[in-house]
Amino acid sequence: MSVNYDFTGKVVLVTGSSSGIGAATALLFAQSGANVVVTGRNADGVRKVAKQCTDESPKQLKPLEVVGDLTNESDCDRLIHSTVQKFGKLDVLVNNVGIAIRTDVYKQDFYENYKNLMQTNLNSVVYLTHKCVEHLAKTNGNIINISSNVSHMSAGNSVSAYNMSKAALDMFTKCMAAELGPKRIRVNSVNPGIVMSNFVTRMGVPEAIVHKIHDAIGAKYPVGRSGEGRDIANTVAYLASDTAAGFMTGSIVVADGGHLAANLSFEGESQQVLSQLK
């Protein structure tokens, strides 16, 4: 049985929504009647997702399209200004933007990679949240941060900086839930397991190997498969719904197909596949 949400009249901003989880999330909100803001660095991707949102919106609502880099504060400011200027308000902020860089602490470029990860995965979220509070307070809105189940894991396979960024994001989520509660702004996090998207290919991993990684890990998941963007979008929509999740804030919601529950590690089959890259 599918769950239908009604976000008619709501304004939803989804960062990193030109592909992957962000695109699936923007589409689900559009299908649920919301006015959606589609944003990312890839103009073609933004345009493609926005068209799909319009086509599948019950009233063919046209999303706001904003191309920008959220590690740039002026682009963040432009994104927020454009959203409020067009729609007059903001109800839901989905901080989905993120990158992954495989890097080892003993390598020459580790610290530069670490800074780039933190700038995208944490600092941009902090800045955007900071700037959106005044608007979300007016609508008793809410924030959903897209983290990762690796925030609960240590790893020795060149992803320590990424894991750290997501652990910090989880703590930011909980702190903001407590701090923004008096303003009636709810803040939650969704922590996916491995999800089929172009996220890993952007790390320089060939697509064929990405599929092998997903197949290898998904076969070990208790649900019998790796995740899809729609799986995470459904979790985001649940948390964004005041009717369904109005009593939830500060929650770290793991949606990982049983990855953590089964004590699975990236050091097994996936590491054998990744070793082909070294």
Side-chain angles (χ1 to χ4, degrees), residues 1-10 12 24-36 56-59 61 92 142 144 186 190 229-246 248 253:
M1 182 180 71
S2 62
V3 177
N4 295 317
Y5 294 99
D6 184 3
F7 288 101
T8 302
K10 300 292 186 180
V12 182
T25 301
L27 180 59
L28 180 55
F29 276 111
Q31 292 168 337
S32 303
N35 284 297
V36 177
E56 300 195 27
S57 167
K59 296 182 179 180
L61 298 176
V92 181
N142 66 86
I144 299 102
R186 295 187 297 110
V190 179
R230 186 78 175 195
D231 294 317
I232 308 308
N234 279 319
T235 309
V236 172
Y238 169 75
L239 289 172
S241 170
D242 290 326
T243 302
M248 293 183 68
V253 180

Side-chain angles (χ1 to χ4, degrees), residues 18 40-49 65 67:
S18 60
R41 291 182 294 182
N42 185 305
D44 289 338
V46 168
R47 191 177 306 112
K48 180 180 177 180
V49 173
E65 301 174 33
V67 177

Side-chain angles (χ1 to χ4, degrees), residues 91-150:
D91 294 283
V92 181
L93 170 64
V94 182
N95 286 310
N96 168 73
V97 69
I99 61 171
I101 302 173
R102 297 180 70 239
T103 186
D104 296 291
V105 71
Y106 51 82
K107 290 185 177 177
Q108 187 68 31
D109 61 353
F110 171 81
Y111 192 65
E112 191 63 32
N113 286 329
Y114 166 82
K115 288 193 295 183
N116 288 339
L117 270 166
M118 288 296 181
Q119 184 62 30
T120 300
N121 294 1
L122 182 65
N123 295 355
S124 69
V125 174
V126 172
Y127 185 80
L128 203 59
T129 299
H130 162 61
K131 289 292 187 174
C132 285
V133 166
E134 65 173 297
H135 303 293
L136 293 169
K138 295 175 183 177
T139 59
N140 291 339
N142 66 86
I143 301 169
I144 299 102
N145 297 321
I146 306 301
S147 183
S148 171
N149 66 351
V150 301

